[in-house]
Amino acid sequence: MYFIKFSSIVTPKVICIFVLFILFSCEDPPQDNRKAFQAVLNHFQDPKDSLKLKAAYYLIDNINNHYYHEIIPRRKWEKILDYSDSLIEVEEENYIPKMNEIFNSQGKFTFKKELDDQTISSEDLIINIDLAFKVWNKPWNKHVDFEAFCEFILPYRTKNEPIDISLRSKYLENLSNKLNDSLKFSDILNIVNSFSTYPDHNLITLIPADLSIEDIKKGRMTTCIGESNMVNFKARAIGIPTATDFTIWPNSSGNHYWSVIPYDKDSILYADKDFFFGSPGSYKLRNKIAKIYRYMYSTQEQTSELRIQEKENKTFLQNPNLMDVTSQYIETTDINMDLYNYEGKNFTNAYLCIFNNKKWNPIAFSKVINNKITFNNVGRECIFLIAYLEDNKFIPASNPFSIDKSGEISKYIADESHKRQIHLTRKTKLIKKVIGFGNTLRGAIFQLSKTSDFKNPINIYEISSEDTIVKPREIDLNLDEKYRYARVINDNDVPMHLAEMQLYLKDNKKIKGYIIADEDTPSKNILDDDFLSYATIENHNNNQSWIGLDFGKEHFVDKLLLAPRSDVNYVKPGDTYELLYWDNKWISLGKKIASSYYLDFDEVPDNALLWLSNLSEGVEEELFIYKDNRQHFWNLTDI
């Protein structure tokens, strides 16, 4: 730390007395930037700039934890950005596979860490401060005090994106026409949401570094991190306070970053509308949450001691700029628990872990006191494990446990004396979105015809208006005649989402053909044997919509296989699965190749925490327990 923190009540006169002491105390910064920081402080010595001087100290005092990564070689990265832009321009259907292919063809990239306290110029800091003050104390941010201004409007970066201060001026000029003194909060939300312009299929992770705003614009590709950085940069340029919050999904895979509009450091006004519904503090969630953190510009002193102890352990929790904001979003529970005692070991910290990406991952840490630990403000309806960390390996410190909707804790200890047979159909929970995809096929009729106009078709299968299909369905046919054409037709108002439509001969051989449809550019996805790809069949002008196959010649059709759009997390025939249970480590209950859309396992301990792993394919896998003769997953939501 190069600079001494000061209270918000310190006057500019007192600050000036400390300037020389501060600049040469502690570990001296690099010579060039010591002069740059001094130039910034000198620039704001006029008494009328007293708040700007305090803002300058704020930025400089907290600068040493901030950085970005330079992508090397830049020339090859530019080529990838250009390629992305060209694919998006022609609306390439296989955008992500093609982007991965071009990225892998460019060879190895390296990432040079560039520290802000060694690279930022005095000119950039001065311009940034002036521009930030230009948009403060406006009708749309009159609630923002100086402390919140310093955190949510003043900073020149949100996270670790490369910075370009000139963009702040450019966005202020280009976006200021969106603002006026009569704006309501709903208008502010519409403005911020308009900054998020990249569709889901452009969200792609190629490198482990935040992209610059200019790179995002040039390649028209990003991640949710880049999306949030861009939204925040534009919003702050016109004086809308924003920050980036993130979570690691519990009992799932991946994470999510989003832009938030804080009221102050202790409360929020608005968060990502795609994931949070209702009111801050009691949001309904699209995904259950265990912890939410916010990237702050300032160092968070309340956790500095623990973070010093944590510096030897390589987890995201080392970041000194993270602030726990979970309770600003949802109802939470404080966990107080006794821990395992390992003889000869003296652990000072322990970690609260969730199951993510097929392993236990830390999301919080706290001090161990007399073999007990407390974790505050923890999300509910999730499964947890507390663990010690030694030599970068996690050692169980508790039994796994869950927190229910009311905050009650339940522990899961495998009962080896009581075992049973269990019937499994999925490796993750069945979410409402997948159910919704299946429901789009309600009323669909599958037909065969001898002619392409389907003048006299026969109906071979109809999905009732009460039926919900969430996995492939096979229908045996007993037909006396040959047919050349097949289709699925529906006159519902909503588009159909169909992953596969396959027809088979008696020897179980798939009938080949090509796609026909009632539109100009039919999707080939229903014939690609990829159950994750799908076709969306729109209803054109309130007429019946359909998509089908031309076999090229007539066949005796013996079987229909239909598959709705899905996450393909059901038990899939032909794939190999392993069932495991937790007893201070994962213990296998055996491997099986699925012959249908379910698996049965014997001799499974009661009250065991279970994990069905697909060894053949897939990423998403979730823990569950088995009770009432069915699987119970966590992270089920109301949305």
Side-chain angles (χ1 to χ4, degrees), residues 24-270:
F24 291 94
S25 66
C26 304
E27 179 185 353
D28 283 341
Q31 182 70 24
D32 289 345
N33 259 35
R34 185 175 63 205
K35 293 179 180 179
F37 296 155
Q38 180 66 72
V40 175
L41 300 177
N42 290 343
H43 182 81
F44 293 115
Q45 288 301 308
D46 192 307
K48 67 181 178 59
D49 288 331
S50 61
L51 270 184
K52 288 186 178 181
L53 181 60
K54 290 175 70 175
Y57 270 94
Y58 187 89
L59 290 178
I60 295 170
D61 191 38
N62 292 284
I63 201 169
N64 65 319
N65 296 318
H66 297 285
Y67 62 90
Y68 71 95
H69 285 104
E70 179 185 354
I71 304 170
I72 302 171
R74 181 68 194 180
R75 176 181 55 82
K76 289 186 175 182
W77 180 244
E78 294 272 0
K79 181 177 179 179
I80 290 172
L81 296 175
D82 290 339
Y83 188 69
S84 172
D85 180 66
S86 67
L87 291 180
I88 292 169
E89 187 66 27
V90 298
E91 299 182 355
E92 171 58 48
E93 192 175 55
N94 297 309
Y95 171 79
I96 289 180
K98 290 200 171 189
M99 283 304 300
N100 284 322
E101 182 180 351
I102 187 68
F103 177 75
N104 292 331
S105 72
Q106 295 303 303
K108 185 178 180 181
F109 285 90
T110 58
F111 308 96
K112 182 182 178 184
K113 190 174 184 178
E114 297 284 4
L115 304 175
D116 288 5
D117 62 6
Q118 296 177 16
T119 57
I120 198 166
S121 69
S122 59
E123 292 81 4
D124 278 350
L125 282 175
I126 290 168
I127 291 170
N128 182 79
I129 292 168
D130 283 338
L131 289 173
F133 273 82
K134 190 174 182 178
V135 295
W136 186 33
N137 284 327
K138 300 295 183 183
W140 55 89
N141 59 32
K142 60 185 178 182
H143 65 281
V144 177
D145 61 18
F146 182 70
E147 183 181 13
F149 165 79
C150 286
E151 281 290 356
F152 307 127
I153 296 178
L154 174 67
Y156 52 85
R157 70 159 74 254
T158 300
K159 191 173 170 282
N160 301 116
E161 72 278 16
I163 56 175
D164 182 351
I165 302 299
S166 68
L167 286 176
R168 186 159 198 160
S169 176
K170 188 181 300 183
Y171 283 134
L172 174 58
E173 180 180 350
N174 294 341
L175 300 173
S176 57
N177 62 343
K178 291 179 176 287
L179 302 171
N180 60 68
D181 292 353
S182 62
L183 284 178
K184 300 176 182 177
F185 184 64
S186 59
D187 300 320
I188 296 292
L189 294 187
N190 290 334
I191 291 171
V192 173
N193 286 331
S194 73
F195 296 155
S196 179
T197 57
Y198 293 92
D200 287 347
H201 62 264
N202 293 9
L203 298 176
I204 181 172
T205 302
L206 294 175
I207 58 173
D210 290 8
L211 300 186
S212 69
I213 305 300
E214 285 296 285
D215 280 2
I216 293 173
K217 289 167 59 182
K218 183 172 184 177
R220 289 195 279 177
M221 67 174 185
T222 185
T223 61
C224 55
I225 300 173
E227 178 97 341
S228 176
N229 289 341
M230 174 172 274
V231 168
N232 292 346
F233 199 86
K234 290 180 178 180
R236 290 177 178 182
I238 56 176
I240 300 174
T242 56
T244 291
D245 290 357
F246 77 96
T247 191
I248 300 174
W249 296 126
N251 201 28
S252 186
S253 59
N255 50 40
H256 183 50
Y257 296 73
W258 63 91
S259 294
V260 61
I261 301 178
Y263 181 82
D264 52 30
K265 71 180 182 64
D266 297 318
S267 61
I268 62 175
L269 293 171
Y270 173 79

Side-chain angles (χ1 to χ4, degrees), residues 493-496 518-519 536-540 543-546:
D493 293 334
V494 296
M496 290 188 292
D518 65 341
E519 56 181 4
T536 301
I537 303 101
E538 303 282 353
N539 190 330
H540 299 290
N543 295 320
Q544 288 182 322
S545 56
W546 61 269

Side-chain angles (χ1 to χ4, degrees), residues 398-417:
S398 75
N399 291 305
F401 60 94
S402 64
I403 305 175
D404 69 13
K405 186 178 290 188
S406 64
E408 292 296 315
I409 292 176
S410 299
K411 295 183 180 180
Y412 300 97
I413 305 171
D415 183 355
E416 298 283 357
S417 63

Side-chain angles (χ1 to χ4, degrees), residues 524-556:
K524 298 178 182 178
N525 288 340
I526 64 167
L527 278 183
D528 63 2
D529 292 316
D530 182 352
F531 286 73
L532 283 171
S533 69
Y534 60 93
T536 301
I537 303 101
E538 303 282 353
N539 190 330
H540 299 290
N541 301 319
N542 296 319
N543 295 320
Q544 288 182 322
S545 56
W546 61 269
I547 191 169
L549 308 173
D550 179 354
F551 306 144
K553 65 178 183 178
E554 291 186 347
H555 289 283
F556 282 111

